[in-house]
Amino acid sequence: MSIHFHDPFLSGLAEGTKPRPRMSLSEWAEAYMVLPPERSASPGPYRVGDATFQRGMMDAVTDPDIEDIVYVTSSQVGKTTVLMAAQGYYAEAEPAPQLSVFPTQIVADAYCSETFDTTVRDTPALRDIIKNLEYPSGYIVFVGANNPAQLAMRPIRVVTGDEVDRWPLSAAKEGSPVELAKKRRATYRNRKGIWCSTPVREDTSQIVEMFKRTRQHYFHVSCPDCLHSQVLKWENVVYEKGKEDEATYSCEDCGSLWPEMLKRRLVREGVWVHLEDSPFEVFKTNLKPDTAQIGFWINELYSPWSSMREMAKSWSESEGNPEKEQTFFNTRLGLPYKGDISSFADWSGLLARREKYDPIIIPRQAGLMTAAADVQDDRIEVLFVAWGKGEECWLMQHVVIPLDPSTDRAWEELAMQFERGFAHAGAAKVSLMPFATTTDSGGHFTQRAYAFSQKWMKVGRRWHAHRGVPGEKKPIWVQSEQRFKDNAKLFLIGVDDAKTTIYTRYAIEKPGPGYIHLHDKFDEDAVRQMTAERAETEYINGFPKRVWTKPRHRRNELLDLIAYNYAVRCSLQVDIDAAIKELNTAPNSRLPVLDAEAIGKLYK
């Protein structure tokens, strides 16, 4: 029985106190969310438009029977928009404490300022209630997965995790960041978790393992000729190399060809389908899915912001280069890369491709020199590396200083090596010194390495001291937060990811970006050192972890030295094109001998 009020005041009061109708996330987003111009190709009020697949991805978030949603995606599918919509919804429509986790605190802060804050600014429904990341009945915290203290604080109802495959497997000694974040929700019966990532490598992907535990959903489109419903796969894109503009999609059943605009129309009409047997081998599992967990996989073939032509051109540029192939698989296909890192390090193949170039003359294509030192108990080994465009590099001279590192003489000799000038093939009058160097401080001469670096850093040399840090997803180069006397600086090198990059680049077959050149002065023993370690997979708490192992009695100094040089290169922001051009000028305008200060001016 309904009650009608004739008094306008009572009628208004009754209307104002009526419960607000519950909205799905996609309904809320289309009713309230405004996309900022800084972060969207289509700024303004949010509309699903051609990206109809986003509706199902969003509405799972507000389904009361679902606790965890796992997205395995490529780029260009609006994953960030889905995350932002969820965060806005749980601030305005169903206020709750929220935790948003990213690979590092730097990435978390960037998302907060560049995406969250700008969306709040342009969305009146959020701008009116969110102040300093707080809102009535709730708040949102942005943290890095490498920050265990933030992951284990106050109770949280809603957790969003982005780029999970780039999270560390363990947050210090506290355990898995995923499990730490999940524990924050323990006191809430209506808890929610949203986990998403582009997958990285098949043997160590955390998001793939999470996806396998869900009710897996794939977006299906139907062929207009045979009505066959299918998942869009890259192997069904048809084109000839050099004619990428003509790329079309071939129906996996009848073979009819769909041009780009037809494919887009079919995607608009597509539907999400739950499949117990995945169409991709990497996602197949014998695990019984948890009914409270739902998963969505989607790739760039569905995207209204990309095209088969763009993807075909990208693959043509990537094929044959494992590093670029992995990027294509991850960011465009939404699939982990299968490449076995250890198989890339074929010592006999590297030995066979050695080149005849002088290890003390920098090639014309290079414009930067680095050096690294590895301190052993009875010697110090140094490797010089020349760098060109796209991080193409030439391994230069390898020097062994056969002196006891506990003596001053050994470190004086190291300083002399770091101050050496190398001739440049394009500039006969130029002697190019290493622009930056690093010395390993992790052995028995730690304080010696610190003192050496500190002494020379004070006079303007970029001669760093470092310590290698094992474990995946560690920064390649970052300054340690550890405090030292006299403001000495220590840098940390993520050696596992550095070696992964090096091994991947060993497999590049043609000179160009990323290619590693070896001169013929390296003998078999040296090349075996460069490939001494193997990447193996271990499982910790059910999640895969890659560890690097070395057979006993095998030497690996040259592999370490290459990795250290790569880390130093990552620390430098240089205009390599300008440096190469400057060094290859005509004879009458060539530069004089360059000291460290003069070299530095080339890179400002």
Side-chain angles (χ1 to χ4, degrees):
M1 174 179 168
S2 60
I3 300 175
H4 300 280
F5 295 101
H6 297 290
D7 186 305
F9 173 77
L10 294 177
S11 178
L13 181 62
E15 183 67 25
T17 56
K18 273 199 315 187
R20 175 174 169 174
R22 183 180 177 86
M23 305 174 77
S24 68
L25 181 54
S26 65
E27 291 172 337
W28 181 90
E30 290 199 302
Y32 296 107
M33 190 164 71
V34 179
L35 302 177
E38 296 95 328
R39 303 299 296 170
S40 176
S42 303
Y46 169 76
R47 296 292 180 266
V48 169
D50 288 345
T52 53
F53 51 83
Q54 288 184 359
R55 185 169 282 115
M57 297 169 70
M58 285 187 176
D59 291 350
V61 173
T62 44
D63 186 330
D65 295 325
I66 295 176
E67 182 174 309
D68 286 290
I69 306 96
V70 177
Y71 303 120
V72 181
T73 77
S74 67
S75 302
Q76 300 293 324
V77 294
K79 174 198 67 176
T80 301
T81 300
V82 175
L83 276 183
M84 182 61 225
Q87 292 163 348
Y89 176 89
Y90 284 110
E92 195 274 337
E94 202 175 321
Q98 299 185 65
L99 176 70
S100 188
V101 189
F102 294 83
T104 67
Q105 190 63 51
I106 292 173
V107 177
D109 292 342
Y111 174 90
C112 178
S113 62
E114 297 171 9
T115 299
F116 186 84
D117 287 348
T118 55
T119 304
V120 169
R121 178 199 68 201
D122 292 354
T123 302
L126 300 178
R127 183 175 64 232
D128 293 342
I129 62 169
I130 298 179
K131 308 296 180 186
N132 298 319
L133 303 183
E134 295 184 353
Y135 42 87
S137 303
Y139 54 86
I140 186 166
V141 179
F142 296 92
V143 304
N146 57 347
N147 189 341
Q150 289 290 336
L151 290 173
M153 291 176 61
R154 296 166 288 185
I156 293 290
R157 180 189 161 199
V158 179
V159 176
T160 55
D162 194 17
E163 291 303 337
V164 172
D165 262 15
R166 289 169 173 78
W167 292 13
L169 190 67
S170 176
K173 299 179 180 180
E174 307 297 326
S176 163
V178 173
E179 295 306 316
L180 285 176
K182 284 184 175 182
K183 287 178 182 178
R184 296 279 295 273
R185 311 173 304 168
T187 58
Y188 287 91
R189 295 184 61 184
N190 57 348
R191 53 186 170 264
K192 194 72 67 175
I194 304 166
W195 317 93
C196 57
S197 186
T198 53
V200 179
R201 289 195 172 273
E202 182 176 330
D203 58 346
T204 58
S205 175
Q206 296 189 73
I207 200 70
V208 167
E209 292 303 311
M210 296 173 76
F211 185 68
K212 287 179 178 179
R213 292 170 169 79
T214 69
R215 291 180 287 121
Q216 298 182 21
H217 284 67
Y218 299 87
F219 203 71
H220 281 59
V221 300
S222 296
C223 175
D225 294 319
C226 69
L227 304 182
H228 175 66
S229 177
Q230 58 203 281
V231 176
L232 299 186
K233 300 179 182 178
W234 175 245
E235 55 261 36
N236 294 327
V237 175
V238 180
Y239 71 96
E240 293 182 24
K241 196 163 187 178
K243 297 182 178 180
E244 290 84 357
D245 289 346
E246 301 174 7
T248 57
Y249 193 89
S250 175
C251 171
E252 68 179 10
D253 190 47
C254 72
S256 67
L257 298 178
W258 312 340
E260 182 66 41
M261 296 314 294
L262 174 58
K263 176 180 70 70
R264 292 192 182 195
R265 177 174 69 79
L266 298 177
V267 168
R268 286 198 302 269
E269 299 167 356
V271 294
W272 284 104
V273 177
H274 167 45
L275 297 179
E276 293 185 0
D277 186 24
S278 172
F280 300 99
E281 191 66 33
V282 67
F283 299 132
K284 292 182 183 295
T285 178
N286 294 322
L287 296 172
K288 185 177 181 180
D290 187 331
T291 57
Q293 299 187 30
I294 190 170
F296 296 90
W297 174 88
I298 197 160
N299 71 10
E300 196 172 314
L301 284 170
Y302 296 91
S303 173
W305 305 288
S306 184
S307 67
M308 291 184 286
R309 173 184 62 83
E310 292 175 31
M311 295 181 69
K313 287 184 176 180
S314 177
W315 177 247
S316 294
E317 294 170 359
S318 304
E319 194 171 12
N321 183 322
E323 199 167 14
K324 289 185 176 181
E325 284 184 0
Q326 178 180 337
T327 299
F328 184 87
F329 270 75
N330 297 166
T331 63
R332 292 189 180 270
L333 302 188
L335 294 172
Y337 191 61
K338 285 187 175 183
D340 175 9
I341 292 297
S342 297
S343 70
F344 296 156
D346 173 19
W347 72 267
S348 59
L350 287 179
L351 190 69
R353 80 176 203 198
R354 292 174 301 167
E355 307 167 42
K356 288 187 178 298
Y357 64 86
D358 194 325
I360 61 172
I361 299 179
I362 300 169
R364 294 181 67 95
Q365 306 97 309
L368 173 71
M369 173 81 82
T370 61
D374 184 31
V375 183
Q376 299 292 320
D377 287 344
D378 61 348
R379 67 192 185 282
I380 300 176
E381 298 198 19
V382 182
L383 178 68
F384 299 88
V385 176
W387 298 91
K389 297 178 182 180
E391 294 184 355
E392 182 176 10
C393 72
W394 289 260
L395 305 188
M396 303 299 287
Q397 191 170 29
H398 173 223
V399 177
V400 177
I401 301 173
L403 299 172
D404 182 350
S406 66
T407 65
D408 291 342
R409 188 181 168 199
W411 296 94
E412 290 167 0
E413 179 63 28
L414 178 60
M416 291 175 62
Q417 289 294 331
F418 282 173
E419 286 193 309
R420 284 180 57 194
F422 282 66
H424 191 279
K429 297 181 181 179
V430 172
S431 180
L432 197 64
M433 289 169 50
F435 184 54
T437 75
T438 191
T439 301
D440 182 24
S441 65
H444 296 150
F445 303 97
T446 300
Q447 296 305 318
R448 278 278 190 174
Y450 290 168
F452 177 81
S453 172
Q454 178 71 351
K455 171 185 175 180
W456 290 101
M457 293 281 277
K458 284 182 177 179
V459 295
R461 298 290 195 261
R462 299 189 184 198
W463 294 1
H464 308 292
H466 78 264
R467 184 175 72 241
V469 180
E472 284 195 296
K473 300 159 191 168
K474 302 293 176 64
I476 297 293
W477 181 272
V478 67
Q479 185 174 339
S480 171
E481 295 180 358
Q482 188 175 351
R483 300 300 179 190
F484 299 91
K485 293 180 180 179
D486 301 323
N487 295 316
K489 295 179 180 179
L490 172 67
F491 290 84
L492 306 178
I493 294 178
V495 289
D496 286 6
D497 280 6
K499 290 173 184 176
T500 295
T501 298
I502 298 303
Y503 272 42
T504 301
R505 292 183 178 183
Y506 284 158
I508 298 175
E509 298 176 352
K510 297 179 181 179
Y515 189 84
I516 299 176
H517 297 262
L518 289 77
H519 57 74
D520 58 4
K521 303 296 190 298
F522 287 119
D523 59 16
E524 179 179 324
D525 177 67
V527 177
R528 284 183 177 274
Q529 283 190 42
M530 297 176 191
T531 58
E533 299 187 24
R534 287 290 177 267
E536 299 178 353
T537 302
E538 295 181 353
Y539 282 83
I540 299 176
N541 298 324
F543 287 98
K545 177 183 180 181
R546 178 184 292 132
V547 295
W548 287 83
T549 61
K550 179 179 72 70
R552 292 185 63 187
H553 311 303
R554 283 287 299 276
R555 292 178 56 192
N556 66 340
E557 291 90 338
L558 274 169
L559 174 59
D560 285 341
L561 287 168
I562 297 170
Y564 300 159
N565 271 282
Y566 170 65
V568 173
R569 177 65 183 88
C570 289
S571 75
L572 301 174
Q573 299 294 324
V574 302
D575 186 344
I576 195 71
D577 289 342
I580 293 171
K581 181 178 179 181
E582 186 76 24
L583 289 164
N584 285 283
T585 51
N588 60 0
S589 60
R590 285 177 179 165
L591 300 174
V593 175
L594 299 182
D595 59 18
E597 182 179 354
I599 294 170
K601 292 179 181 178
L602 289 174
Y603 306 100
K604 291 182 179 178

